[in-house]
Amino acid sequence: MAMNETLKTLRRAKGWSQTRLARESGVSQTYISDLEAGRSNPTVPVLKRLAAALGVRVSDLIEEGEDRAEARTG
């Protein structure tokens, strides 16, 4: 799953709107919309803020499923 899809999935799992995630993370709603639509790529500081707000690790936002499996198996 790509980062934009992962972000949207995690946000929805919390039952949050983009506005709520913006409020919790300090990242603008417009930027979150752009990230979820794949129109923008986040900076590391933004990833940290989003991950903290969602209660996940930064790596949970950026690693794709296959990458995680490969990292574990070497």
Side-chain angles (χ1 to χ4, degrees), residues 3-5 15 17 19-20 24-25 29-30 32 34 37 40 50-52 55-56 59 62-63 66-68 72-73:
M3 191 284 302
N4 61 321
E5 295 167 348
S17 64
T19 302
R20 172 78 186 269
E24 298 291 333
S25 67
Q29 184 274 324
T30 302
I32 291 170
D34 287 345
S40 292
L50 293 170
V56 299
S59 61
I62 59 175
E63 290 180 357
E66 292 178 18
D67 293 340
R68 289 181 191 175
R72 275 183 252 151
T73 60

Side-chain angles (χ1 to χ4, degrees), residues 47-62:
L47 283 170
K48 288 180 179 180
R49 292 166 81 172
L50 293 170
L54 292 166
V56 299
R57 298 172 301 185
V58 170
S59 61
D60 293 331
L61 289 174
I62 59 175

